[in-house]
Amino acid sequence: MASRYSKNISPIIYIFVFFLFSVCPVLSSLEQFNQTFNPSDDMKIIKSHLMKINKPSIKTIKSPDGDLIDCVLSHQQHAFDHPQLKGQKPLELAERPRSSGHNINSMEFENFQLWSMSGETCPEGTIPVRRTKEQDILRASSIRRFGRKIKRPVRRDTTSNGHEHAVGYVTGDQYYGAKASINVWAPKVTNQYEFSLSQMWVISGSFGDDLNTIEAGWQVSPELYGDNYPRFFTYWTSDAYQATGCYNLLCSGFVQTNNRIAIGAAISPTSSYNGGQYDISIMIWKDPKHGHWWLEFGSGVLVGYWPSFLFTHLRGSASMIQFGGEIVNSRGNGFHTSTQMGSGHFAGEGFGKASYFRNLQVVDWDNSLIPLSNLKVLADHPNCYDIQGGINRVWGNYFYYGGPGRNQRCS
């Protein structure tokens, strides 16, 4: 395997990467303490918000992890509360990108989530929706911010923003989508207000308030979900995480079309050190016919789409594609966190030990999947979490990434 590393990273890209990562999905413990709900808050507001999110269901499935999965009629899902979607029904077809290369299939979607292990599924014409509970909202900083990433000031340095990352990215062209297979682990997250995620970003816009992103991957987020399971998630924003967008189906936006996959539900099985390795294949691309951005899982399983009207810059194309891991380091007790990224092991340990992204591809102007050119890799705290990229015939463009956090060289 030939290794490739980025030694000379453009200052502009470096600034952009840290701007993107300075936007936090959760608050630090101090911020959380100062902004937590007061017991005297009007619970009617919370219940009203829950009624907006949790639509009437025709069937409910109880997952082994405690989740309740509601089977909601497709045309009654939260997306259709959006003024520009009211009265519509989900689209059913999208023109899938043409593939020019060999790819290894990821795990089959039927065995991808805990809730479906019993064999129970939602009927045709419905979608599975993870039910939001009162406790989920109470863990957030406010009702308004529940299910949303937190807008922070633009940072132009690497210090004190609490976020640490190991990422691969491409820029300098027009991109109409991306695809990757992402190794799934259950990293240890040391407190409720930290997280560990592995995802890809489809990005357009400037460094200011007009940033557009579409995101998908897996995350361990005790604040958002109340546990430490790795969960399949999506996100979108059209204004740099200010007033638009949300995780999963927690606002009107993403239109789900699939009755077998629950966004926000726990992934199973997960990989183990020196044991079985599991990954999920995710593709996001712009349908050239309607202009909407579609999400595909595995081999041809359409999950749903983000309507093009949600965005400004992404009504055209993306200017950057990013893949990789991110954690929050709250420095409890003044020390670096022991929250793990990926498998919790450094990239140099390789297959079966370190987490990976493989078969990295982008979608070009002709709606074709093509290999990456000029993939750059960046780890901002390499003594805590690192990354090593490479290319071969079977995995195409790939990288190993991650780490344990606090150790002798990371304190």
Side-chain angles (χ1 to χ4, degrees), residues 171-328:
T171 190
D173 206 343
Q174 292 182 331
Y175 307 101
Y176 294 85
K179 183 175 183 179
S181 291
I182 310 174
N183 198 195
V184 180
W185 294 78
K188 180 181 69 174
V189 175
T190 58
N191 72 59
Q192 179 176 319
Y193 309 119
E194 296 182 345
F195 68 83
S196 181
L197 61 77
S198 296
Q199 68 166 86
M200 64 182 184
W201 293 258
V202 175
I203 304 161
S204 192
S206 71
F207 306 152
D209 292 340
D210 63 344
L211 183 73
N212 288 203
T213 75
I214 295 173
E215 309 170 27
W218 61 261
Q219 64 181 167
V220 176
S221 176
E223 181 187 26
L224 189 58
Y225 304 106
D227 57 34
N228 289 284
Y229 288 104
R231 294 173 175 273
F232 178 50
F233 82 96
T234 62
Y235 199 90
W236 68 275
T237 181
S238 62
D239 62 356
Y241 308 91
Q242 294 180 103
T244 63
C246 62
Y247 279 111
N248 307 333
L249 304 179
L250 296 176
C251 66
S252 300
F254 184 81
V255 179
Q256 184 160 336
T257 59
N258 185 284
N259 70 324
R260 303 293 292 272
I261 294 174
I263 302 174
I267 299 173
S268 182
T270 59
S271 303
S272 58
Y273 190 80
N274 268 337
Q277 298 300 300
Y278 301 93
D279 56 36
I280 57 173
S281 176
I282 294 174
M283 179 166 67
I284 298 168
W285 84 99
K286 187 179 184 184
D287 176 22
K289 183 176 181 181
H290 298 287
H292 305 316
W293 290 86
W294 281 82
L295 173 65
E296 178 184 285
F297 173 82
S299 300
V301 181
L302 295 180
V303 181
Y305 60 93
W306 292 269
S308 59
F309 66 73
L310 295 174
F311 304 102
T312 53
H313 297 287
L314 282 176
R315 290 188 187 185
S317 60
S319 56
M320 188 180 200
I321 303 293
Q322 211 157 253
F323 312 87
E326 177 183 5
I327 64 93
V328 163

Side-chain angles (χ1 to χ4, degrees), residues 375-390:
L375 174 68
K376 297 179 175 67
V377 295
L378 168 67
D380 53 32
H381 292 74
N383 289 334
C384 308
Y385 315 98
D386 68 358
I387 184 169
Q388 295 181 8

Side-chain angles (χ1 to χ4, degrees), residues 1 4 21 48 62 71-72 74 98 130 158 161 184 191 203 259 264 285 288 368 376 407:
M1 294 183 181
R4 299 192 303 176
F21 287 135
S48 174
K62 186 166 184 179
C71 302
V72 176
S74 296
R98 293 176 291 277
R130 178 182 181 268
T158 64
N161 66 10
V184 180
N191 72 59
I203 304 161
N259 70 324
W285 84 99
S368 296
K376 297 179 175 67
N407 64 76

Side-chain angles (χ1 to χ4, degrees), residues 115-132:
W115 72 274
S116 59
M117 290 293 182
S118 67
E120 277 201 89
T121 60
C122 285
E124 292 291 334
T126 70
I127 64 165
V129 180
R130 178 182 181 268
R131 186 183 300 177
T132 300

